[in-house]
Amino acid sequence: MERIVTLDKAINAIKVAAEEIPADDFISYSTILDVHLSYAHDVFSQDEQHKLLEALGEILETHEDLAREISWDLISVLLPFLESPSPATIQLTESHIAFAAAKGNPREVFIKIVESLSAINWSPPLTEDEDGYVDVDGDGDDEEEDEEVREAKDKSRKETTRNALRKFYALLSALSIVHPRIFSKFPSRFLSTQLTTLLGVFTKAIQWLDRQDVDAVLRALLEFAELVKPTLMVSRKQSIVKGERPPLPPRASTNSMTPLPVPISTDGNEPAKEPEGDSPETTLQARLLQSFLSHVLELYLLRTRNVTGRGLVVGWAGQYDSEVVRKGKSKVPGGETAIDDERTERAVQREVKALTEDIEGLCEALGLRVDELIKICENHQEPESPTDEDHEDPAPPSSAEDIPLSKTGALFLLAQRLTHYPLSPLSIFPNHSDISQNFLVNGSGQHQPAVVDAVLFLGALALHQGGGLGSAPESDNFLLYLQTFAAISATSSSPQARFLAHYHVSTCISKHPDEAVRLAYIKDTLEHCPFETLKAAVVGILKDEILSASLSTPPKQNSIFASPVCLEDLFDMLFPEVEVGDADDFKNYYPTLVATANFYYFLVLSPVCREKLGVNKREFAERVEGKFLTPIGKALEGISLEGGGMEADILKDVIERIREKVREVCV
């Protein structure tokens, strides 16, 4: 751009205008200032821009009335200078924005800050490839894309997010300055606007920011929430009076809670009497922050980028398993497993857990109770959303009851809160069953690792430190509940989630008092389940049931699992006619085939089990041989020629051992 105005002329123009234009004609001065600052941003060098901003600072310091009147306009005019490569210019710009927030008309400055926050651009410029397709995220997933193009896109994205972050932090700092300066009969209306804006900003930002930047932004939002939170009289007495939470060690966090001061009487003799409760306005502010934090936590755990995609896991279920359920037994000795790798990966992600703890701790300080979180998570109704007919901006909420929490955020808050409880208020039925139905059956939670983590933790907590199974469930409800977690045990991408889901299923089955219901689940899974790994797991559950019934002391009387009725009822499902055509078929069916073969071998080896279940009868052995062992043996001969590998050799060895033992024990 051709230079029309020099630095000296620009400085002289804004200085003379400040002297000659009266303060009540601030619009004229704002216009002059806007023109010269915009021109300087586009044309001047870095050094010249810095000198012009220094001159502006001198004017603001010496013309208080003018500074007060034009501060609202300074916010948006100064923001482009935060894109400067000069650290000195950036620092000076941040100082001017903070000055405007401290000196300007608070309501006018507030409006401008909110508008500027909403206008931050987090996404890089759209680019088109040779075919005219628009690249939105610039991640460079196309393997054929030129390396230089990928580097250019990555550079553009980083530059855009860097500039956006600078503006965000400067504006959030300004908002923190101006917030205490606003005096209103209904401060909740301003708070509602701020939190709605910040939630929108975080929603946009999280789509583009890397993990570390998301953590930093969230930490800044928590510091702001700590600044604006009201002082609640109810919350300071809640933990002691209600006994909801035992004393905790102090948080090692930048947002650790400080004790509320003890009220002092005016005469200095005795403490002043505490009010009975909080005002509706104070309660409304607290609820606004609770809702904000619940939505922020949902976004953080579900949408933050990770190495493989999006979503973070706190690790509630795995930690509870290793510290409570199977303390000292949760690790496999002698080597590292995929579950150990997951534990190691989460251990280095301390900030995820720390941020979640801080969000939950702040919500508790704001009076959010466990019973309300449970109620939200159990409720099958979704919060009402605005209809398409609502064209106008919604009115500010008039009461705390009008403000819903994020349902998924409430689930995460509940999981985090209950990590501090010695005993859980939950039972499987109806509490955990309702929660599972909401998030795993009727929701998309099975594909969201953080949701699975939370639900598995709450289930384990209900079984081991809560009400157990609770009210006796109907057979259909119980089977549906088990199938929900069985599906996770077969399909989850997390090895630990798969194991914990299976462990949850087997534990629930073992605790159900009705053997017929337990047998029905095993039968239904073997007959209808499409996942071979899950069928194999159910065969293991059947083995545990038989062991418990046959070898218990004292012996269980009239147990289905210790009688021939058990295997007779399951025979066709346990020993199905499987067509193994090639190596691919064999690999698919292998988990079930080897589990069934090993199960039968166990029955043949155990004198007590084969006697009680009728496995020692020649007729039973011939049925298994004809329907299962012979067809599988023939299939293995063909598979071996195709290179069936170690799996084929293992199964052949088990079949030979079975036949040898059957000849020895069957009569």
Side-chain angles (χ1 to χ4, degrees), residues 452-474:
V452 173
D453 179 29
V455 175
L456 283 173
F457 164 66
L458 295 177
L461 192 68
L463 284 176
H464 296 277
Q465 290 180 289
L469 282 184
S471 58
E474 296 180 1

Side-chain angles (χ1 to χ4, degrees), residues 196-349:
T196 301
T197 300
L198 290 174
L199 181 61
V201 171
F202 189 62
T203 303
K204 295 176 185 176
I206 205 169
Q207 294 298 112
W208 301 100
L209 296 181
D210 294 330
R211 163 71 195 291
Q212 290 182 337
D213 288 331
V214 172
D215 288 351
V217 167
L218 181 52
R219 182 63 67 192
L221 290 176
L222 290 182
E223 291 173 357
F224 178 78
E226 181 69 28
L227 171 72
V228 302
K229 72 178 176 66
T231 300
L232 296 177
M233 302 308 298
V234 174
S235 67
R236 64 187 282 186
K237 297 183 293 182
Q238 175 176 295
S239 294
I240 299 175
V241 175
K242 299 297 181 182
E244 276 202 343
R245 186 173 185 172
L248 300 177
R251 296 174 182 268
S253 164
T254 57
N255 286 325
S256 57
M257 305 301 157
T258 55
L260 292 170
V262 176
I264 304 298
S265 65
T266 54
D267 59 11
N269 294 324
E270 295 182 0
K273 184 179 180 180
E274 292 185 354
E276 292 299 322
D278 298 300
S279 68
E281 174 63 22
T282 301
T283 304
L284 180 56
Q285 294 178 52
R287 186 62 170 186
L288 284 167
L289 280 164
Q290 292 171 11
S291 178
F292 169 74
L293 292 169
S294 70
H295 282 89
V296 163
L297 182 58
E298 175 189 359
L299 289 168
Y300 177 61
L301 293 181
L302 297 189
R303 298 194 188 180
T304 301
R305 291 173 183 263
N306 60 40
V307 177
T308 59
R310 290 190 183 274
L312 304 173
V313 176
V314 179
W316 295 296
Q319 183 175 354
Y320 187 73
D321 177 62
S322 61
E323 294 182 359
V324 178
V325 179
R326 298 184 303 131
K327 188 174 182 179
K329 301 178 182 178
S330 62
K331 289 191 175 184
V332 178
E336 291 293 310
T337 66
I339 294 177
D340 293 321
D341 293 339
E342 280 192 74
R343 289 194 186 100
T344 302
E345 182 180 348
R346 277 199 292 274
V348 300
Q349 296 180 356

Side-chain angles (χ1 to χ4, degrees), residues 397-512:
S398 58
S399 67
E401 291 73 20
D402 297 333
I403 306 170
L405 270 63
S406 158
K407 195 165 186 174
T408 303
L411 174 71
F412 298 150
L413 290 171
L414 177 62
Q416 183 59 44
R417 179 75 65 88
L418 291 182
T419 60
H420 301 291
Y421 278 62
L423 294 175
S424 168
L426 299 175
S427 59
I428 295 299
F429 290 92
N431 306 117
H432 196 252
S433 175
D434 286 337
I435 292 173
S436 303
Q437 185 175 352
N438 283 334
F439 293 98
L440 301 181
V441 179
N442 298 329
S444 58
Q446 285 200 17
H447 307 289
Q448 297 167 337
V451 173
V452 173
D453 179 29
V455 175
L456 283 173
F457 164 66
L458 295 177
L461 192 68
L463 284 176
H464 296 277
Q465 290 180 289
L469 282 184
S471 58
E474 296 180 1
S475 176
D476 291 345
N477 292 338
F478 186 63
L479 295 182
L480 177 61
Y481 176 81
L482 295 181
Q483 288 164 2
T484 301
F485 291 93
I488 294 174
S489 73
T491 62
S492 175
S493 60
S494 162
Q496 186 169 58
R498 292 198 301 270
F499 170 80
L500 293 177
H502 169 70
Y503 189 78
H504 185 70
V505 170
S506 61
T507 306
C508 287
I509 290 176
S510 67
K511 289 183 177 294
H512 198 286

Side-chain angles (χ1 to χ4, degrees), residues 68-114:
R68 182 176 60 254
E69 298 296 340
I70 68 169
S71 285
W72 67 274
D73 191 41
L74 281 176
I75 302 294
S76 57
V77 178
L78 287 169
L79 281 177
F81 289 93
L82 292 175
E83 300 178 3
S84 172
S86 167
T89 299
I90 292 172
Q91 184 176 3
L92 190 56
T93 302
E94 292 171 342
S95 175
H96 288 351
I97 292 175
F99 179 89
K103 300 297 183 181
N105 181 296
R107 297 195 181 209
E108 292 177 347
V109 173
F110 171 82
I111 293 173
K112 208 65 180 180
I113 292 173
V114 169

Side-chain angles (χ1 to χ4, degrees), residues 349-412:
Q349 296 180 356
R350 297 182 182 89
E351 190 67 1
V352 177
K353 185 176 181 181
L355 284 166
T356 303
E357 287 178 344
D358 287 341
I359 291 173
E360 187 278 315
L362 186 50
C363 283
E364 186 184 27
L366 290 165
L368 185 56
R369 296 173 53 83
V370 165
D371 53 1
E372 182 180 1
L373 289 172
I374 293 175
K375 183 178 179 180
I376 293 171
C377 294
E378 290 180 338
N379 191 349
H380 295 309
Q381 294 181 345
E382 295 295 329
E384 294 184 5
S385 58
T387 62
D388 295 336
E389 299 176 357
D390 298 333
H391 299 295
E392 299 181 358
D393 292 336
S398 58
S399 67
E401 291 73 20
D402 297 333
I403 306 170
L405 270 63
S406 158
K407 195 165 186 174
T408 303
L411 174 71
F412 298 150

Side-chain angles (χ1 to χ4, degrees), residues 621-636:
E622 290 175 351
R623 289 172 65 194
V624 176
E625 177 67 42
K627 191 173 183 182
F628 183 74
L629 297 181
T630 298
I632 298 303
K634 290 181 178 179
L636 287 174

